[in-house]
Amino acid sequence: MASYTETRTLPNEGACVVGTDGAPAVLDPQLAAGLGQAGAGMLGVVTDGLGRRWEVFVSEFAGSEDLHIAWAVPLDPVLEPFERINAALLIGGLASLLLATLVSGLLARGLTGPVVRLTSATRRVAGGDYEVEVPVESNDEIGTLARAFNEMTEGLRLKERYRGVLNKVVSPEVATELMAGEVVLGGETRQATVLFGDLRGFTATTSTMEPQSVIRLLNECMEVLSDAVERAGGVVDKFVGDEIMAIFGAPIARSDDAVRAVRAALEMQEALTRLNGVRTERGEPVLGLGIGINTGEVVAGNMGSPNRLNYTVVGSTVNLAARLCSSAEPGEVLIGEATRAALGDASNEASLPSHGIEGSGEQDAPSVIRTESVGSRPFKGFTDPIEVFRAHALRALVCLLGAGAASGLAPAVLPTLDWAGGTTVSAQEWPTIRDRAYLSNESGSIQFGLSGRLELDGYMPADSFPGLIGESSAFFHPRLRLFADGFIGDYVQLLFELRADRGDVPGTGDYDARIEQVFVRVGPGPLGAALTLGRFPSPVGGYAERHLTEDDPFIRPPVPYDQRTVVSDRRFPVDIDQFLGWRAEPQTFRRGGLPPIWQVPYPWGAKIEITPGPVTLHAAYVNSAPSSVSAAWDWSTKALKHPTWIFGARLQASPELSISAWRSHGPYILLRDDIPNYAELFDYSQTLTAVQAEWRRGATLARAEFWVDQWEIPFVKRTVSDLPWSLALQQDLSPGFYLAGRLGGIFFRPTDNSSGESVAWDDDVIRAELAAGYRLALNAGLKASFGNAWTPGGIDPSDGLVSLQLWWEF
């Protein structure tokens, strides 16, 4: 029986508890709380000050309702063994899980490692690396797959060695056709252009030379000549002593084979001229080159014996090309009638951009082919005399940056102009400065180019000019544009334009230099989607795409982009009658007015384009309306609280016809802080809706634009609107020479004055213009235009204007 160790009086009306050994005093409140409870039972688990756990019970003492007994049983001795078991189970489970994870990782690595190595090796093979092999580490299925992969790469290496040997015997195109088994054995009839080139003076020059020197000279010449042929897409058929034969149109046919052949011939002459210059510096003899070209039907195929085949072409077309070559003087390119006719075909491009020599860092300037007749000549094997033409290259006065010069700029190439007379090919697409080379890193993933355009404009107004030009006497307006553009990968384009002139509007003001546009364009991605961010020409209207380029035959913009209205961002009429009264004082109020579009606005913001098939959709979020003055195009974010939204679409209905439409809405007053207190800036808004059609066939181009222009003015109960329009026709008479005419105007729709009368709020205007241009070189030309406007029934003076421009791209 337990001994009593102490007696304590509890705060329970003098109740007494007798505690046993080890019963802590901290349990007294729980024990005392149970004394007054009737019945018996477990009170719960409590913890003493030492962290020990106790189970407290209470019951009546000896059947007495007045006396109770409460006791506490220690739980730690009972629970601790089970808790140790639980801890051991937890630690063991975690250790087992960790061990299983390590074992499964090792097993997975052993299984997937060979597969990963096979995948990596497959990517290297896809990139053209056939030297790769994978280790065979087992005899299971993975090992079998690795052995099969190595056998495949060994076969590919062997095939490449065969192909390398074959490429040295025949051209790469013929080698590809032979290896694919697609060349028709025995011959087939093809339409092709054949080129023969013969080194003039070779026999006399080499008669006293050592055999090794003769072979070295021949190889040196044939290398540059064959490079020119291959760059133009031709096939070197054979070398016969000091003669080279090339084919364009077999085994691979293109729509412009004749153009490529003549272009290759001209480049061959230039390449040999450069080589002669090097040989002269070395004190070695030089050679000339005569070339003959003819186009027509040939029999193409493998000729020879079953054991020795040669892919070539035969026929009268080939014979005439050889005869033309024999008649050509050193430095001369003679072509037959069929080749001359093919050059004049509108489906051909007679002004293809040149192809740089790989690894040389040098690229020729683009050229335009010119031909002249040298009369009819008899040739052996042909009954009738055949008319012969001589081909020339009109070289561009343009400075190009060497391709591949990643560490700096290559020397500029300044070829001379060839003004040889004679007939020219029919009107062709002229290449622009964008055909130049770019600086590039070794992989070509980053490209960068510099270019510029200088325009020297002169204006001679006949009277005060009511358009954007406000001068009333002759003045000179030069303009310099410098571009830096580049590409990063296949989807990122950057462009920066620095412009220096006397302001966006031609005049006699101070010279100003500014950043006109700077943007980054990402795309095209899926569905042809592209995103443009930065400052760029407004996508409203078609004029932004062609202004200040060779594609625009005129010097001044069309009427909708140039003619001021009496709507102003400087003056705020107090009532409708005052606004309508401005029409009577054009010299006072129109000089500060806004046109429907301010030439080509350069707002900043974002634009997205999507091209699903023949349709191009675009949307833009920019900081200024099309009519806003140039001061509103700055980088202020204030205007983006009330931006201009632009939506448009372009449909290429046919190869000749395209149709475009636009809609724009936004505030045209952005910078004023003195507007009447009854209005906000965004209350002065402009809505433009337009449609444009462009039709181009051969040397003829027609263009039409129609607009609906709506202006919101707070005190006017209804929108005031006008209807701008423009019609233009351009005819290229010969390469580099064109004539153009344009008719445009603005019709102002009437509105009601305070008395309810319908009154036109401005005078209708019509302008007629004529223009002519002549290309002095591929990158330089002259423009001249004359325009005169009148207001039927109005009081505005005429605005006869003569404009001249000399432009040069570099």
Side-chain angles (χ1 to χ4, degrees):
M1 182 175 181
S3 61
Y4 298 108
T5 58
E6 60 177 335
T7 300
R8 297 191 296 271
T9 300
L10 302 178
N12 190 14
E13 297 180 356
C16 178
V17 173
V18 179
T20 60
D21 291 340
V26 71
L27 297 178
D28 291 350
Q30 285 80 5
L31 296 175
L35 295 178
Q37 300 179 10
M42 182 178 68
L43 294 182
V45 178
V46 297
T47 303
D48 63 18
L50 299 177
R52 296 172 297 182
R53 290 166 293 181
W54 302 81
E55 187 77 58
V56 178
F57 295 88
V58 64
S59 65
E60 293 179 353
F61 181 76
S64 172
E65 295 181 358
D66 297 328
L67 299 175
H68 293 78
I69 183 172
W71 72 94
V73 179
L75 293 179
D76 288 342
V78 178
L79 296 178
E80 283 178 357
F82 295 100
E83 290 175 344
R84 286 194 297 271
I85 293 174
N86 286 338
L89 289 175
L90 178 61
I91 294 173
L94 292 176
S96 300
L97 179 61
L98 179 61
L99 179 62
T101 301
L102 293 175
V103 172
S104 61
L106 293 175
L107 291 175
R109 183 176 181 181
L111 292 174
T112 61
V115 176
V116 172
R117 286 191 289 273
L118 275 170
T119 303
S120 175
T122 302
R123 285 195 295 267
R124 291 176 60 183
V125 170
D129 181 7
Y130 302 140
E131 300 297 327
V132 62
E133 288 189 359
V134 295
V136 180
E137 300 174 344
S138 64
N139 292 320
D140 55 7
E141 291 81 357
I142 298 296
T144 302
L145 181 60
R147 281 189 291 271
F149 181 88
N150 292 336
E151 292 172 1
M152 177 195 71
T153 55
E154 183 179 359
L156 290 173
R157 289 195 297 271
L158 185 60
K159 181 179 178 181
E160 282 300 300
R161 284 196 291 270
Y162 289 156
R163 184 186 183 94
V165 173
L166 191 59
N167 283 344
K168 296 181 183 298
V169 179
V170 297
S171 69
E173 291 81 359
V174 175
T176 300
E177 296 285 328
L178 288 173
M179 297 187 72
E182 297 178 3
V183 174
V184 178
L185 299 178
E188 58 180 336
T189 301
R190 304 289 290 264
Q191 186 77 15
T193 299
V194 183
L195 179 152
F196 280 89
D198 184 69
L199 293 173
R200 299 292 191 250
F202 181 80
T203 302
T205 301
T206 59
S207 59
T208 58
M209 294 174 60
E210 294 293 331
Q212 295 82 357
S213 300
V214 173
I215 295 299
R216 186 169 57 252
L217 169 60
L218 193 60
N219 289 341
E220 195 173 38
C221 293
M222 291 304 172
E223 181 181 0
V224 298
L225 299 183
S226 60
D227 283 346
V229 170
E230 292 173 359
R231 287 198 303 270
V235 171
V236 176
D237 180 88
K238 63 174 67 70
F239 301 104
V240 183
D242 60 353
E243 188 176 62
I244 181 174
M245 175 182 172
I247 311 168
F248 294 79
I252 299 173
R254 299 179 176 88
S255 62
D256 57 350
D257 284 318
V259 175
R260 290 174 179 270
V262 177
R263 182 59 182 273
L266 298 173
E267 291 192 8
M268 290 166 68
Q269 295 285 11
E270 294 176 1
L272 188 61
T273 299
R274 291 193 295 269
L275 177 60
N276 284 337
V278 174
R279 293 183 60 81
T280 300
E281 292 178 359
R282 298 198 304 239
E284 299 174 346
V286 298
L287 299 173
L289 178 66
I291 298 177
I293 302 174
N294 193 37
T295 301
E297 285 191 350
V298 299
V299 177
N302 288 293
M303 312 296 174
S305 69
N307 297 324
R308 179 67 175 175
L309 297 177
N310 177 35
Y311 184 85
T312 187
V313 293
V314 296
S316 60
T317 298
V318 181
N319 296 337
L320 181 55
R323 302 290 187 268
L324 290 169
C325 177
S326 300
S327 299
E329 297 294 331
E332 192 174 40
V333 177
L334 298 182
I335 65 176
E337 292 180 276
T339 304
R340 171 61 181 81
L343 291 180
D345 190 342
S347 65
N348 293 327
E349 293 290 334
S351 54
L352 296 173
S354 61
H355 307 270
I357 300 175
E358 184 178 355
S360 69
E362 180 178 329
Q363 175 159 336
D364 296 333
S367 64
V368 172
I369 299 170
R370 303 186 63 176
T371 62
E372 60 175 326
S373 176
V374 295
S376 297
R377 299 181 183 180
F379 291 102
K380 182 180 177 180
F382 295 87
T383 305
D384 300 323
I386 296 174
E387 187 175 7
V388 180
F389 297 85
R390 182 185 295 118
H392 299 271
L394 173 63
R395 305 304 298 167
L397 184 63
V398 60
C399 175
L400 299 178
L401 302 180
S407 61
L409 301 181
V413 179
L414 293 176
T416 59
L417 290 171
D418 183 354
W419 293 108
T423 58
T424 63
V425 298
S426 61
Q428 303 291 340
E429 191 75 18
W430 288 81
T432 67
I433 196 66
R434 297 304 173 189
D435 291 324
R436 72 194 189 286
Y438 281 79
L439 294 177
S440 167
N441 62 353
E442 184 175 356
S443 65
S445 60
I446 301 176
Q447 301 180 43
F448 174 76
L450 297 171
S451 63
R453 181 179 171 96
L454 176 64
E455 294 151 345
L456 305 177
D457 295 351
Y459 297 93
M460 291 171 283
D463 205 335
S464 58
F465 190 70
L468 288 180
I469 292 179
E471 307 293 335
S472 58
S473 58
F475 65 96
F476 176 61
H477 185 88
R479 180 186 298 109
L480 176 64
R481 307 168 72 200
L482 299 177
F483 298 94
D485 62 335
F487 301 87
I488 302 176
D490 296 329
Y491 301 104
V492 179
Q493 176 188 3
L494 308 170
L495 186 138
F496 174 89
E497 178 189 353
L498 179 66
R499 186 176 299 191
D501 54 25
R502 287 177 162 175
D504 289 285
V505 176
T508 58
D510 296 332
Y511 287 98
D512 172 55
R514 63 193 179 280
I515 298 175
E516 195 72 292
Q517 55 180 325
V518 53
F519 63 80
V520 57
R521 185 175 187 267
V522 181
L527 295 179
L531 174 65
T532 303
L533 299 172
R535 180 168 172 173
F536 46 82
S538 174
V540 169
Y543 183 63
E545 299 177 2
R546 62 182 186 273
H547 85 295
L548 298 180
T549 70
E550 300 80 57
D551 196 37
D552 183 16
F554 298 92
I555 300 175
R556 295 298 299 145
V559 172
Y561 303 80
D562 185 58
Q563 176 70 23
R564 297 177 187 263
T565 70
V566 293
V567 175
S568 176
D569 68 336
R570 306 178 186 179
R571 300 171 182 268
F572 306 99
V574 298
D575 55 44
I576 182 64
D577 291 332
Q578 185 186 45
F579 173 69
L580 295 176
W582 288 354
R583 169 188 177 188
E585 301 179 58
Q587 295 288 9
T588 300
F589 294 97
R590 185 165 293 112
R591 292 178 66 89
L594 300 174
I597 304 175
W598 189 279
Q599 295 196 100
V600 176
Y602 286 88
W604 71 274
K607 177 178 68 172
I608 186 170
E609 299 172 278
I610 303 176
T611 308
V615 178
T616 298
L617 307 175
H618 64 251
Y621 174 94
V622 296
N623 73 325
S624 61
S627 65
S628 300
V629 297
S630 55
W633 307 339
D634 62 11
W635 292 95
S636 170
T637 59
K638 176 182 178 181
L640 289 182
K641 298 178 181 178
H642 304 285
T644 292
W645 287 94
I646 302 171
F647 300 94
R650 182 178 186 272
L651 170 65
Q652 192 67 42
S654 71
E656 299 171 334
L657 176 65
S658 65
I659 302 173
S660 305
W662 301 272
R663 185 173 178 85
S664 166
H665 179 80
Y668 58 88
I669 296 181
L670 300 171
L671 304 177
R672 309 294 295 188
D673 55 6
D674 56 349
I675 63 172
N677 55 14
Y678 55 78
E680 300 289 344
L681 288 177
F682 54 83
D683 291 334
Y684 296 85
S685 64
Q686 179 191 27
T687 302
L688 273 170
T689 306
V691 63
Q692 174 183 287
E694 184 174 289
W695 179 84
R696 187 189 300 265
R697 172 175 290 179
T700 303
L701 171 65
R703 184 182 292 113
E705 295 182 34
F706 298 94
W707 299 79
V708 176
D709 180 22
Q710 299 173 302
W711 307 84
E712 295 286 347
I713 304 174
F715 62 85
V716 178
K717 302 301 182 182
R718 61 189 60 80
T719 301
V720 296
S721 62
D722 53 81
L723 304 175
W725 56 278
S726 177
L727 304 172
L729 179 66
Q730 178 180 342
Q731 180 66 43
D732 295 336
L733 302 181
S734 67
F737 179 62
Y738 67 83
L739 293 176
R742 185 166 65 192
L743 187 66
I746 305 177
F747 297 146
F748 294 91
R749 304 181 68 182
T751 187
D752 292 344
N753 60 17
S754 59
S755 302
E757 299 175 291
S758 182
V759 178
W761 59 277
D762 207 342
D763 287 327
D764 295 342
V765 61
I766 297 175
R767 183 193 298 173
E769 297 171 271
L770 294 175
Y774 183 70
R775 186 72 65 90
L776 301 175
L778 287 181
N779 64 323
L782 285 170
K783 290 182 180 181
S785 65
F786 170 76
N788 192 64
W790 62 95
T791 54
I795 62 175
D796 280 350
S798 64
D799 64 341
L801 180 70
V802 176
S803 307
L804 298 174
Q805 182 185 89
L806 172 64
W807 61 269
W808 174 48
E809 288 188 339
F810 53 90

